[in-house]
Amino acid sequence: MADYVQTGSVRPAAGDRPDAVARLDETAEALTDLHAALTGEESLDDALQRVAELAIRAVPDADAVTVSVVTSEQSHTAAATDRALVKLEDAQYSAGRGPCLESARTLTPVRAVIGEHEDQWPEFETAAAAAGVRAYLSVPVILPASDDAEARHLGTLTIYSQTAAAFDPFDEGLLRLFTTAACATITNAQRWTRSRDQVKHLERAIESRAVIEQAKGVLMAVHACTADEAFRILVEQSQRANTKLRDVAGQLLESLKRS
């Protein structure tokens, strides 16, 4: 497990942290609430925001939480309990380096105190110090491998604290446990979003078919032609006007209403 703590770190001994059992209880309560709130109808944005809001309860001294979606094309902060930290993460994306990007790249946790990586991530360190951040912990959210798919990186969850002594290896384990459970929420939201989009697409297709059929009926009555001939008239008009077939049919019906 990556720790990234340098010699001379201001991080205290593990005994100075809150009782391990109490910390585990806090995480267990957050996981219970995460599971209880799991629904079959939730957008991905809403799910990620809920994960962030519950993650802040999973680890003591966590003052803010962000969820970053990191891809080869683009990275962005999809959820945050404190919108001011979006600017902090934007500093990472612009520079192409920082703890959440490192966690996404290596698929391992990154935990450190501000000041420990000034040479490695100067842009992030400067922005974090200005925002009052003193410690952070980034953990990848990974969908486990299955029989028909490889493990997939879904995002990176980062907790921030204004206390330099905030996080230790036990907290790292707790957050990894939380992110494992959060995968269910995220994948459920992704499925619901895909299903919703498919339904909308089907509804639009059905609606378009109905409009086109009505327009064909009008043309058949006006020109005393067959259904195929009426459809060909619509297609030719669509091509001439460089307009979608449904829009041509809709315009024809609208013109009849106005006449």
Side-chain angles (χ1 to χ4, degrees), residues 54-250:
L54 288 173
I56 203 171
R57 295 169 42 194
V59 178
D61 294 327
D63 294 313
V65 176
T66 62
V67 180
S68 305
V69 175
V70 180
T71 67
S72 57
E73 293 81 20
Q74 183 181 20
S75 301
H76 71 282
T77 302
T81 60
D82 183 350
R83 300 307 301 178
L85 288 181
V86 174
K87 292 183 178 180
L88 170 58
E89 300 213 332
D90 284 344
Q92 297 185 66
Y93 309 145
S94 297
R97 54 187 178 182
C100 83
L101 298 181
E102 180 72 7
S103 180
R105 184 183 66 81
T106 62
L107 299 183
T108 57
V110 174
R111 176 175 58 89
V113 171
I114 294 301
E116 292 181 344
H117 293 279
E118 290 180 342
D119 294 336
Q120 188 176 3
W121 306 317
E123 300 86 0
F124 168 79
E125 290 270 334
T126 299
V133 171
R134 294 294 174 265
Y136 54 88
L137 169 58
S138 293
V139 175
V141 181
I142 303 171
L143 180 64
S146 62
D147 293 339
D148 56 355
E150 297 181 350
R152 182 162 55 93
H153 179 252
L154 300 178
T156 301
L157 193 151
T158 303
I159 56 176
Y160 295 95
S161 180
Q162 297 175 355
T163 303
F167 311 128
D168 61 18
F170 188 75
D171 295 316
E172 186 176 305
L174 292 178
L175 195 60
R176 294 181 72 179
L177 175 64
F178 182 87
T179 56
T180 298
C183 279
T185 296
I186 295 172
T187 53
N188 180 74
Q190 288 178 325
R191 292 192 192 100
W192 182 82
T193 298
R194 284 195 295 268
S195 297
R196 180 198 59 187
D197 292 342
Q198 289 171 352
V199 169
K200 287 184 176 179
H201 179 73
L202 180 59
E203 289 175 342
R204 286 194 297 268
I206 293 173
E207 180 182 353
S208 297
R209 179 62 180 271
V211 171
I212 292 170
E213 289 299 322
Q214 291 177 50
K216 284 170 57 179
V218 170
L219 292 174
M220 290 168 64
V222 172
H223 298 287
C225 61
T226 66
D228 288 342
E229 289 171 338
F231 184 72
R232 187 162 53 250
I233 292 172
L234 289 173
V235 171
E236 290 173 353
Q237 176 59 29
S238 172
Q239 293 174 342
R240 283 197 301 269
N242 193 26
T243 304
K244 292 181 179 179
L245 187 62
R246 180 194 181 282
D247 293 337
V248 169

Side-chain angles (χ1 to χ4, degrees), residues 211 214 218 249-259:
V211 171
Q214 291 177 50
V218 170
Q251 290 167 8
L252 173 60
L253 297 177
E254 284 296 323
S255 66
L256 291 176
K257 292 179 182 179
R258 292 192 298 267
S259 60

Side-chain angles (χ1 to χ4, degrees), residues 16-31 56-61 168 170-171 174 177:
D16 292 339
R17 296 290 292 134
D19 177 71
V21 175
R23 283 190 273 172
L24 185 58
D25 286 343
E26 290 290 335
T27 303
E29 289 181 9
L31 288 172
I56 203 171
R57 295 169 42 194
V59 178
D61 294 327
D168 61 18
F170 188 75
D171 295 316
L174 292 178
L177 175 64

